[in-house]
Amino acid sequence: MTEYLYLDGACGISGDMTVAALLDLGADAEKLDKVLKSLHLDGFDYHISRKNSYSICGCDFDVRLHHHEHCHEEEYHEHHHHEHRHLSDVYEIIDRGEMTDGARQLAKKIFLIVAEAESKAHGCPPDEVHFHEVGAVDSIVDIISAAVLFDDLKIKNVVVDGLNDGRGFVNCQHGSLPVPVPAVVNIAEKYDIALRPMPVDGEMVTPTGIAIAAALMTTDKLPTAYKIVKSGIGLGKRDFGHANFLRAMIIQDKTDEKQMYVVETNIDDSTAEELGLAMEKLSEAGAADVHFEPCFMKKNRPAYILRVIVSVDLLEKIEDTIFRNTSTIGLRKYKVERTCMERENFCVNLPEGKVDVKKCRLGNIIRYKPEYESIKALSASSGRPFREISDAACRLAKKEK
């Protein structure tokens, strides 16, 4: 049964919301604390607490920066310099943290996604991007924390089916920018993440948030039916006039595994040998039925419709088999309902030997069908005609069952 992490973007997404939601799901806070201490990053502490957003209770992850108000000019410049890091500086911080390889690679991947989006927005190479917002300590902490906690949950599949975002303008280092901000637009475009505009003023999707979603996402489709194993709520800091939280859920695919699909495609440029082999491969892959139907295609070419009936759990495998073994470049598929007779297999003993028989029943309709291979083998070994052995097996089956 496939398990997924589902990031529900109804209220958008940000770094701190994601960290809080993963903590609420049960990812290890002690493990996170050890990693954050091992970074040796000065100038911050963090708090994990339970809070409310418009009466919805959830986890709050709050990174607090220490501001030295009475510092000397030189110290200010030193401090200011550290606020504007490059990608290589951020990678150095990640490298000195004591975390698993999986968490380390994920943290770097998220930062690279942000760097590429910012570099496109500002027209400079990714390694020259000054991480203003993102290079700030709180974003480094958010991204490393999200990577460590996700790695701790040990879930491979992640669903992000879209993120709601606000509108209007937001103030940042570069002055006033329209929502969604350019970095968010660039990530949504590159990683194919659907944005849904909402009638809300403000930035509901942050570059850090969508970068984490892009790095984790393996699919944009929820299973048609799922069981929620566990859910976590990570609260956001901004007030949009409604409850603001990221809901993260561990879900199990409960799609009906018996749901059948018909997959079909028209083919006019595969040889007869290739089509014969494709049928063989599809049967081996577990198709319930495979057949070809003659048709005429464009330019009056005689061609074939390949039609396969398959259960949903083998759908991907069957599609892959069709693409690998035919010349087609596209498929159609649709769900179908089936009415099937109940089947029961048993053996009958004829003088010539054993025959496997299938008994089929639907209401008061009963049918006995001797298995072809059994009859063929006995016909060959005894010399009696195929039909005679088949009829004898039917008669005996009706008597015994």
Side-chain angles (χ1 to χ4, degrees):
M1 194 179 300
T2 311
E3 207 166 58
Y4 296 89
L5 173 69
Y6 171 38
L7 298 177
D8 172 10
C11 305
I13 190 169
S14 66
D16 58 327
M17 287 165 90
T18 310
V19 175
L22 296 176
L23 284 166
D24 206 34
L25 263 186
D28 192 335
E30 283 180 27
K31 186 186 276 188
L32 174 62
D33 190 59
K34 282 179 191 153
V35 173
L36 292 181
K37 284 194 170 86
S38 73
L39 298 175
H40 301 299
L41 260 184
D42 295 333
F44 85 97
D45 56 42
Y46 72 94
H47 295 270
I48 298 167
S49 58
R50 309 288 303 164
K51 287 191 179 171
N52 274 41
S53 172
Y54 287 80
S55 86
I56 297 298
C57 177
C59 177
D60 178 73
F61 180 75
D62 190 18
V63 177
R64 297 174 188 181
L65 304 179
H66 304 153
H67 292 293
H68 308 294
E69 286 171 24
H70 305 293
C71 60
H72 296 297
E73 190 66 20
E74 306 90 286
E75 285 178 289
Y76 172 76
H77 280 303
E78 183 61 24
H79 177 67
H80 202 66
H81 164 74
H82 281 302
E83 285 291 292
H84 293 3
R85 294 179 170 90
H86 292 103
L87 191 59
S88 56
D89 301 322
V90 175
Y91 278 8
E92 269 176 40
I93 294 168
I94 295 169
D95 279 333
R96 70 175 180 243
E98 290 164 23
M99 63 189 92
T100 65
D101 286 345
R104 198 183 310 283
Q105 283 166 3
L106 180 55
K108 287 183 177 182
K109 180 180 174 185
I110 297 166
F111 263 104
L112 182 61
I113 289 170
V114 181
E116 287 173 346
E118 294 284 4
S119 86
K120 186 178 173 191
H122 303 305
C124 63
D127 52 4
E128 282 178 26
V129 169
H130 282 294
F131 283 97
H132 301 293
E133 277 84 352
V134 175
V137 172
D138 52 351
S139 291
I140 292 175
V141 174
D142 283 347
I143 287 176
I144 292 175
S145 300
V148 168
L149 296 172
F150 175 74
D151 180 69
D152 182 54
L153 288 175
K154 295 181 174 47
I155 295 174
K156 287 191 175 65
N157 305 296
V158 180
V159 182
V160 179
D161 62 346
L163 303 168
N164 289 353
D165 202 0
R167 60 187 184 186
F169 285 80
V170 63
N171 289 317
C172 67
Q173 209 85 25
H174 310 286
S176 194
L177 289 176
V179 177
V181 297
V184 167
V185 169
N186 293 341
I187 293 170
E189 176 191 337
K190 184 168 180 182
Y191 293 90
D192 209 12
I193 295 174
L195 294 178
R196 298 181 291 246
M198 301 296 288
V200 170
D201 279 331
E203 183 188 33
M204 292 168 71
V205 176
T206 69
T208 305
I210 194 172
I212 295 169
L216 297 183
M217 174 172 131
T218 56
T219 176
D220 62 354
K221 288 185 179 61
L222 269 170
T224 50
Y226 58 85
K227 173 182 177 238
I228 299 169
V229 179
K230 201 169 183 192
S231 66
I233 286 192
L235 299 180
K237 308 281 186 294
R238 297 179 188 173
D239 186 346
F240 297 115
H242 57 76
N244 179 25
F245 57 87
L246 175 72
R247 189 161 41 191
M249 295 183 250
I250 297 171
I251 61 173
Q252 280 175 351
D253 190 342
K254 284 287 183 183
T255 307
D256 179 7
E257 285 174 15
K258 294 189 178 72
Q259 173 67 58
M260 302 301 284
Y261 276 78
V262 168
V263 184
E264 58 183 36
T265 179
N266 301 8
I267 302 172
D268 66 359
D269 55 349
S270 283
T271 66
E273 289 97 332
E274 282 176 307
L275 293 178
L277 181 62
M279 182 182 263
E280 215 173 283
K281 295 277 190 192
L282 286 162
S283 297
E284 282 170 19
D289 187 64
V290 187
H291 65 259
F292 289 104
E293 207 172 273
C295 66
F296 286 90
M297 285 173 61
K298 59 177 186 275
K299 300 181 183 172
N300 304 324
R301 290 176 192 156
Y304 291 95
I305 299 169
L306 164 61
R307 198 171 285 123
V308 185
I309 302 175
V310 60
S311 57
V312 68
D313 54 327
L314 292 174
L315 190 56
E316 268 184 52
K317 189 178 176 186
I318 290 297
E319 288 182 5
D320 184 69
T321 305
I322 294 173
F323 282 118
R324 281 179 193 281
N325 293 283
T326 72
S327 57
T328 193
I329 55 172
L331 304 169
R332 301 178 293 280
K333 59 187 168 190
Y334 45 91
K335 291 179 185 177
V336 287
E337 301 297 323
R338 294 198 307 172
T339 305
C340 295
M341 299 182 90
E342 286 172 31
R343 298 158 203 208
E344 180 192 341
N345 295 312
F346 63 98
C347 270
V348 293
N349 290 300
L350 291 179
E352 292 81 6
K354 281 187 176 180
V355 177
D356 293 320
V357 179
K358 192 185 285 167
K359 179 183 181 181
C360 305
R361 176 200 291 275
L362 184 68
N364 61 359
I365 305 167
I366 297 174
R367 203 166 283 153
Y368 295 91
K369 187 165 169 45
E371 294 289 359
Y372 167 77
E373 294 294 346
S374 279
I375 303 288
K376 182 179 157 190
L378 284 194
S379 173
S381 61
S382 69
R384 283 185 68 191
F386 183 94
R387 172 60 69 188
E388 273 183 31
I389 294 180
S390 180
D391 289 348
C394 269
R395 282 194 299 272
L396 191 51
K398 281 177 191 168
K399 269 187 204 164
E400 290 186 6
K401 285 272 183 178

